[in-house]
Amino acid sequence: MTRKLGWRRRGADHGRDASSEKSPQAPNWRSSNYLVIDLETTGLDTCNDHIVSYGAVPIREGRIMASEATYSLVRSERESTEAALRTHCLRKQDLAAAPSIDDCVDRLDELLRGHILVAHGAWIEHSFLRRAFKCSQRLFTSDVIDTAKLASLVLDVSVGPNQSIALEYATSRMGLPVHTPHHALGDAMTTANLFLALTSNLERRREDTLTGSRLITLST
């Protein structure tokens, strides 16, 4: 998702039309739009478990758009594992009247247009969303920024394969508040604040311009 001065395309950097800018400054990460997403699921089996709730928080021009934050339960016929239930406390009967996964995919697809996906331990969100979109006959094409990967760089913490820094740990290390742990919207808001703090820290360390495209690269 990349935007260069003078032209736009659907890609890594989504931002304002360069012709509307008053100055010819090169775009930085604030020129891109982001959508922070957190999912609660019936378990961590990305092939069989289901999404039971999501929280989404947009970031534009480097600011959290809290008034546009979105939360929804998701109806699921699959029972949560004991570990997942202890985490999010969402029982099958709590989801009986919730929107279907197809309805939720429609909404998330709309929200993600023109935005880069941001998540903590993003392989989980990416895997579940990609499968949900596929089951709803949609193509999931969003680029992804992983705040866990950015946190490991900023905090200089080494993690093993398939491991990531816990959201609450990274947030506390950065001196930030934790919003309603293990609630999808609370975790999305926590991740949004963490993303801004990490990105600002990385920006101060760099001599060149930090862009959305570079943040995507740092997340791989």
Side-chain angles (χ1 to χ4, degrees):
M1 296 185 178
T2 305
R3 182 177 74 84
K4 295 185 179 180
L5 290 176
W7 61 280
R8 299 176 71 187
R9 68 177 178 85
R10 294 185 66 185
D13 275 349
H14 303 278
R16 300 181 297 273
D17 192 333
S19 62
S20 67
E21 298 290 340
K22 294 182 180 180
S23 65
Q25 295 178 349
N28 61 20
W29 66 271
R30 296 175 186 82
S31 303
S32 298
N33 298 325
Y34 308 89
L35 186 71
V36 183
I37 292 179
D38 184 81
L39 304 177
E40 298 298 332
T41 63
T42 59
L44 295 179
D45 184 341
T46 58
C47 294
N48 296 295
D49 279 310
H50 295 177
I51 298 170
V52 295
S53 70
Y54 70 83
V57 179
I59 295 176
R60 303 192 194 98
E61 298 183 344
R63 291 183 291 183
I64 295 172
M65 313 303 290
S67 64
E68 298 179 32
T70 300
Y71 172 76
S72 179
L73 298 175
V74 184
R75 188 167 68 248
S76 172
E77 297 303 318
R78 186 179 176 88
E79 296 281 0
S80 291
T81 64
E82 290 186 9
L85 190 57
R86 285 195 301 270
T87 298
H88 55 60
C89 301
L90 294 174
R91 303 165 300 171
K92 186 176 178 179
Q93 54 266 41
D94 298 326
L95 310 173
S100 68
I101 187 62
D102 289 339
D103 290 338
C104 292
V105 165
D106 287 344
R107 179 60 175 148
L108 288 171
D109 191 31
E110 178 184 354
L111 292 171
L112 278 166
R113 290 173 192 166
H115 293 71
I116 301 171
L117 170 63
V118 177
H120 193 85
W123 69 271
I124 296 176
E125 275 72 18
H126 183 259
S127 298
F128 275 98
L129 288 172
R130 185 173 56 185
R131 181 163 66 91
F133 272 58
K134 184 177 180 180
C135 291
S136 298
Q137 299 183 336
R138 292 178 182 268
L139 187 62
F140 184 79
T141 59
S142 296
D143 287 316
V144 180
I145 294 172
D146 189 346
T147 52
K149 294 286 185 66
L150 300 184
S152 67
L153 295 174
V154 171
L155 300 175
D156 193 23
V157 175
S158 298
V159 294
N162 301 320
Q163 294 181 335
S164 61
I165 299 174
L167 176 59
E168 292 180 40
Y169 172 80
T171 301
S172 298
R173 282 283 306 273
M174 294 297 292
L176 300 170
V178 175
H179 302 271
T180 321
H182 308 306
H183 182 283
L185 185 55
D187 283 347
M189 190 64 70
T190 298
T191 302
N193 280 287
L194 179 61
F195 171 71
L196 294 183
L198 293 171
T199 303
S200 297
N201 186 289
L202 288 168
E203 185 176 42
R204 290 193 297 270
R205 298 183 183 192
R206 298 178 64 87
E207 295 181 359
D208 59 338
T209 302
L210 182 64
T211 64
S213 294
R214 182 56 181 161
L215 290 170
I216 293 168
T217 301
L218 291 172
S219 295
T220 57

